[in-house]
Amino acid sequence: QVQLVESGGGSVQTGGSLRLSCAASGRPFNNYNMAWFRQAPGKEREFVSTISWSGDTTFYADSVKGRFTISRDNAKNTVYMQMNSLKPEDTAVYYCAAKYRGTRGNYDYWGQGTRVTVSS
């Protein structure tokens, strides 16, 4: 089992920044590809970004490209999401997720989420 705990959410105004963190425990962190998803009120959960187990490869949803940056520190068992130039449409609960490297399909482990609210 992998336990994931997100933190860093909060309320900001349009154009502001937040840094989300996701601390992992339970299994060797560098065996897992990590991702961030989000779910806005009344909407389905959507993909935001992913980072490979080594940190060498990242991918972003078009809606956040150029504004969000995913990173990880394998020594600290933590993945981060730096969010800049925030917009009201970024308001959502943000979840981190883990998937064993080399596997395909759905992510296996999820955190409880951290809420981000962006006001205009």
Side-chain angles (χ1 to χ4, degrees):
Q1 292 285 341
V2 176
Q3 292 78 44
L4 302 172
V5 179
E6 301 97 333
S7 61
S11 297
V12 296
Q13 293 188 327
T14 297
S17 298
L18 284 172
R19 188 194 194 201
L20 306 183
S21 299
C22 173
S25 61
R27 293 282 176 88
F29 183 62
N30 59 4
N31 280 341
Y32 290 84
N33 297 326
M34 301 296 295
W36 288 96
F37 290 77
R38 67 185 181 186
Q39 188 167 19
K43 295 186 177 181
E44 294 187 353
R45 186 164 56 192
E46 65 175 3
F47 167 80
V48 177
S49 181
T50 188
I51 187 167
S52 62
W53 63 271
S54 63
D56 289 345
T57 302
T58 59
F59 189 76
Y60 298 91
D62 287 344
S63 59
V64 306
K65 200 173 296 183
R67 300 187 298 123
F68 291 11
T69 303
I70 191 171
S71 62
R72 65 189 294 160
D73 186 336
N74 285 348
K76 295 183 178 180
N77 294 343
T78 303
V79 62
Y80 305 97
M81 175 67 77
Q82 178 66 42
M83 306 188 298
N84 298 329
S85 302
L86 284 162
K87 305 175 181 180
E89 51 263 45
D90 295 317
T91 294
V93 177
Y94 284 71
Y95 300 89
C96 72
K99 180 168 61 177
Y100 193 81
R101 62 179 179 171
T103 61
R104 297 187 177 185
N106 295 330
Y107 282 79
D108 302 305
Y109 304 102
W110 295 83
Q112 83 291 345
T114 185
R115 186 174 300 275
V116 172
T117 302
V118 184
S119 58
S120 57

